[in-house]
Amino acid sequence: MFPPFIGAHRRTTAQLFLFGKAFVASLLLFYLLQTQNFASHPWSLSSYNAESQHHANSTLSNNETPPSPWSAWVPKLHHKAPKRPSHNSSSPPPNNSSHSTSPISSQSPNTTVQAHYTLAYNTADQLTLLQKTPIPHEDLARKGHHTHLLSTLLRATLSNPTIPPTTFLNLTSVEFPFFEESRIADSLAYLPWQPSTPDISGIVICVGAGNAVMAAQNIRVLRNVLGSTLPIEIAYAGEDDLPERWRKRIEGLGPNIEFVNLHEVFDNDKVGMGGYFMKPFALLASRFQKPMLLDADVIFLRSPDELFTSDSGLAETGTLFYHDRAVYGDSTGWLGTLAWIKEVLGERKPSRALRQSIFWQETLEHQMESGVVVMDKGRPGVFASLVFAAWMNTWPVRGFVMSHVCGEWCSSGSERTRDGSLANGRSTGDKESYWLAAELSDTLYTFNPNYASMIGHHEPSSTEMCSCQLMHTDIEGVPFWFNAGLQTNKQIDDEDSQGFAKLTHFLGAGASWDEQFEWRYQGANLFCANVSESVVGEPNLSMLKTVEDVGLARVIERILEEAKKADVEFQGVDDDEQDKAKHESDDDGDKDAEEQQRSENSNESGKQG
């Protein structure tokens, strides 16, 4: 009898000989595979977690990404792993993607390059399989996991020039439909695999006709008071948002001012440009590798150019964010933001940056204030998380996010529209999306440690100081910039509120809870702070200083002078257009009258003939 694995019927001598050769070859192949540790090869889906962990700890990521906590998210896929090619093969493993991802081709004998190649292939394969299952908008954590995979793929792509970026672009377009490869490629937007341009860093400001005067004040201060030489991009959402007459006035403010029409870079039907929601898209569309996004109403007290060379956190992580006021969640009626974020995180442990924040420890209303945002798009994790943040601000998604970030204040009874507005005019915009996208995609990010402060005027007899101007300090606690513009209160339309604010004093908050002061919300964007007692009952007067104490009195005088010039320079822009339209209408009327007169004269001549 033959062994059962051969069969119960007899074999010929030739068949037995062939079987013997195959059996010996199988034993030899088994031995070779064992010596090569095939079971742990990165092309095998079963080794994905180990490879991700190895990559996260490697130096190939510019010290960017910590060990990944996403192993719990990787499902046990009943998927046949692709065959490992022979050592002599130069062809890539097969691409079984159901999407139109470009095949990752060519291998190098260099071990490091090969590691990047295999990591890219494995990650693209993993993400392709995961993308077959749609993710609801509410599941931000799973979206963050996919973003993490995209950043891993991008990192490997940048490390191996033989891997085409189209694979990353196609998978990103599938994950985030607003990010269309053809539109992005045809624009001037910086992409991480492109060669560096002379202007690596620059300023980006979103401007519409409604805030153009504040933007002009901002630009005049940067150029004429602080001596900033950074190029400036003005991002706008089509001709209706910032008409040509306004663009011409802004262009005349100085050299190195350019314009980016976001409607030409992104499909507005998918995005819904407008208001604060367009800000992350302006970062993506920028031609700068390291854009600094400013609100139009931001005023710097020192040149921002120094940030790119002096901030250690920005150099380490490629991001720089600023904290909001240390205000409890019941101060203005915005409740439950932190509870919702914990719900989104689920079983995932928060990062050290989040755990150590006052926002997390004291249940504050908000974590971030987005008047100034700096991001290095050359970092794979930063770029991928920025795409994720922008997606959170697309019109189909932002309603869900906003309902949890500011609750009933900006969602009750309101209909969100595609142009970015809310029916009741309320929105906190993009402010929490940047750090939250980084947190959920396992990307390191940096906050200036000090929480938001206040600049304004304090009467000696008062125990409070009230102001709309939200101020931020540098790491040393020295005033750096503030927002809400230079008007006393831009949200109230009366003569006193529209006049220039008195900026004589400031309250500087620190990084810890006992370095905060007690905030009281008055309404209409006006906050007051008790200068006699802090939240912990200690004397608070040491926090109150004058601008003269830090050598800023003359700087603020010059800032106000430039702001007045901007007001004069931009006065009547729309009036001029209305006058032009009126003259055109009058001219048309004169032409009609002349034509009518000629017609009457012709008729009269006909009668006489």
Side-chain angles (χ1 to χ4, degrees), residues 71 354 371 482 583 601:
S71 58
L354 180 55
F482 63 89
H583 288 313
N601 292 339

Side-chain angles (χ1 to χ4, degrees), residues 211-325:
N211 63 6
V213 174
M214 289 188 291
Q217 295 172 344
N218 185 346
I219 294 170
R220 288 192 70 104
V221 169
L222 288 170
R223 290 288 192 253
N224 303 336
V225 179
L226 306 177
S228 171
T229 59
L230 290 172
I232 297 174
E233 283 183 343
I234 303 298
Y236 65 102
E239 183 69 20
D240 291 341
D241 185 34
L242 188 66
E244 184 180 6
R245 60 186 180 275
W246 284 99
R247 299 199 299 273
K248 287 182 176 179
R249 291 289 183 98
I250 294 172
E251 189 176 21
L253 291 172
N256 261 343
I257 298 177
E258 305 169 2
F259 296 86
V260 179
N261 184 354
L262 298 181
H263 283 179
E264 296 178 357
V265 185
F266 304 103
D267 183 350
N268 197 46
D269 287 338
K270 296 179 180 178
V271 174
M273 294 288 180
Y276 297 107
F277 300 114
M278 63 191 285
K279 289 165 57 180
F281 300 97
L283 282 172
L284 277 177
S286 172
R287 68 178 179 87
F288 306 129
Q289 175 185 332
K290 301 177 182 179
M292 177 188 297
L293 179 69
L294 310 184
D295 279 354
D297 61 356
V298 161
I299 297 294
F300 272 93
L301 299 169
R302 302 201 314 272
S303 174
D305 301 25
E306 64 187 62
L307 269 180
F308 292 103
T309 55
S310 65
D311 194 279
S312 59
L314 175 59
E316 181 182 355
T317 68
T319 62
L320 180 59
F321 306 144
Y322 286 87
H323 287 296
D324 207 335
R325 301 175 181 90

Side-chain angles (χ1 to χ4, degrees), residues 61-76:
S61 61
N62 296 322
N63 196 29
E64 179 184 340
T65 307
S68 171
W70 288 112
S71 58
W73 281 97
V74 180
K76 295 180 179 179

Side-chain angles (χ1 to χ4, degrees), residues 268-275 277 393-399 402 410 413-427:
N268 197 46
D269 287 338
K270 296 179 180 178
V271 174
M273 294 288 180
F277 300 114
N393 286 273
T394 57
W395 73 267
V397 184
R398 62 185 176 233
M402 287 299 101
C410 64
S414 66
E415 292 293 332
R416 290 171 181 75
T417 59
R418 292 194 185 193
D419 67 356
S421 63
L422 300 176
N424 61 9
R426 297 169 175 173
S427 169

Side-chain angles (χ1 to χ4, degrees), residues 112-151:
T112 302
V113 175
Q114 176 71 15
H116 292 304
Y117 170 83
T118 52
L119 176 60
Y121 175 81
N122 184 74
T123 305
D125 185 65
Q126 177 79 1
L127 184 56
T128 298
L129 290 170
L130 292 175
Q131 286 180 340
K132 291 180 179 179
T133 303
I135 300 177
H137 295 158
E138 297 79 7
D139 198 346
L140 296 180
R142 270 209 297 163
K143 207 72 172 176
H145 172 44
H146 288 201
T147 304
H148 174 75
L149 294 179
L150 284 171
S151 69

Side-chain angles (χ1 to χ4, degrees), residues 323 338 351-364 366-367 435 445 447 449 451 511-513:
H323 287 296
L338 180 59
S351 67
R352 183 174 63 178
L354 180 55
R355 290 196 312 272
Q356 293 179 349
S357 67
I358 299 177
F359 169 75
W360 183 271
Q361 296 174 357
E362 301 292 339
T363 315
L364 298 185
H366 287 297
Q367 166 81 312
W435 75 266
Y445 56 93
F447 270 96
Y451 278 72
S512 63
W513 181 240

Side-chain angles (χ1 to χ4, degrees), residues 37-51 79-84 118 121-123 125-126:
N37 285 324
F38 177 64
S40 61
H41 195 281
W43 280 333
S44 169
L45 289 179
S46 64
S47 66
Y48 171 79
N49 295 332
E51 179 63 30
H79 175 71
K80 189 175 181 180
K83 295 181 180 179
R84 180 173 184 251
T118 52
Y121 175 81
N122 184 74
T123 305
D125 185 65
Q126 177 79 1

